[in-house]
Amino acid sequence: AGSSRNGASGGCPFVPSPAQDSPLDGAWNNLWTTAADATFDEKTERGAARVSNVVEARRGKITNIIAFESPASKVETLKVRLSARPVGGARLELAFRYVKVTFRKRLLGLFKSIFIPVPAAFITRVLFLFRPAKKPPVPFFDLLYLDADLRVQRTGEGNVFVQRRG
C-alpha cells in the first residue's frame, strides 16, 4: 500500500529526476517507531529527545538528529551522518560515516563538538574475513509509503519508522 510516489510504483524516489527534486528531500520528524534505541522520553536514563533526519537525495546524504531536551544532559545533539544508495525499487543501502556530538558546554574547556568515525563497516569486514562463505550484512531501509507529508520505512532489522515532514 502506498501512494503513487512510493518506491513500489517504479524507480526509487530517492533518486531525483533532472526536472524535479526527490520527494524524500527535506527534514522529517519521527512520529513513532518500533526501534527501542530510537525512543527517548523523560522516564529513560537518556532523557527526552526529539528525533528527526534530513535527506539530501542529490548528495546521497542522510543526517539523523537526536536533540536532547533536558538542560541537565551534557550532550545537546547527536548527528549521525550516513550515505545512502538506491538498490532497487524502494530500498536504500546505508553506510554510517560519523557521529557529531555537540555538548552543552565545551568539553575540557576546548571543544563544543567532536566527530567520531563509525568503524562498523571496517569491524564487520574484519569479522567476516574468518567466515568467507558469508557476506557481511549491509544496513538498509525499505520505503513502505511516501506522500507529501508522511513517510513509513522498515529497516533491515525489521524496525518500522513513521515520520512526518517538518
Side-chain angles (χ1 to χ4, degrees):
S3 74
S4 61
R5 292 169 67 171
N6 80 0
S9 63
C12 181
F14 190 72
V15 182
S17 73
Q20 63 185 20
D21 291 333
S22 167
L24 279 174
D25 275 335
W28 296 87
N29 295 312
N30 222 35
L31 294 176
W32 180 84
T33 184
T34 60
D37 62 348
T39 304
F40 300 85
D41 67 30
E42 63 278 348
K43 295 175 188 161
T44 66
E45 184 179 327
R46 299 177 293 192
R50 290 181 318 280
V51 178
S52 62
N53 65 39
V54 176
V55 177
E56 299 175 59
R58 285 195 198 287
R59 297 179 64 198
K61 178 178 166 182
I62 298 173
T63 304
N64 291 338
I65 303 162
I66 302 168
F68 293 94
E69 295 177 346
S70 171
S73 172
K74 291 181 183 354
V75 175
E76 187 174 336
T77 60
L78 294 174
K79 293 184 178 181
V80 182
R81 170 72 182 347
L82 301 94
S83 295
R85 178 176 77 88
V87 289
R91 178 165 291 181
L92 291 176
E93 282 187 353
L94 306 170
F96 290 80
R97 300 298 179 196
Y98 61 82
V99 178
K100 178 183 178 186
V101 182
T102 301
F103 299 97
R104 291 198 189 282
K105 295 182 181 178
R106 292 190 177 279
L107 182 64
L108 303 172
L110 301 171
F111 306 102
K112 181 74 170 161
S113 299
I114 60 172
F115 290 82
I116 303 169
V118 179
F122 172 75
I123 291 170
T124 301
R125 279 190 218 112
V126 169
L127 292 174
F128 275 80
L129 279 175
F130 304 106
R131 296 168 46 185
K134 292 192 173 193
K135 293 180 89 174
V138 177
F140 69 88
F141 74 75
D142 289 327
L143 190 60
L144 303 177
Y145 180 84
L146 176 64
D147 67 21
D149 298 310
L150 193 66
R151 177 174 113 198
V152 181
Q153 64 194 42
R154 181 177 36 242
T155 67
E157 295 84 28
N159 288 310
V160 174
F161 287 82
V162 178
Q163 298 171 317
R164 176 182 296 145
R165 189 173 298 279

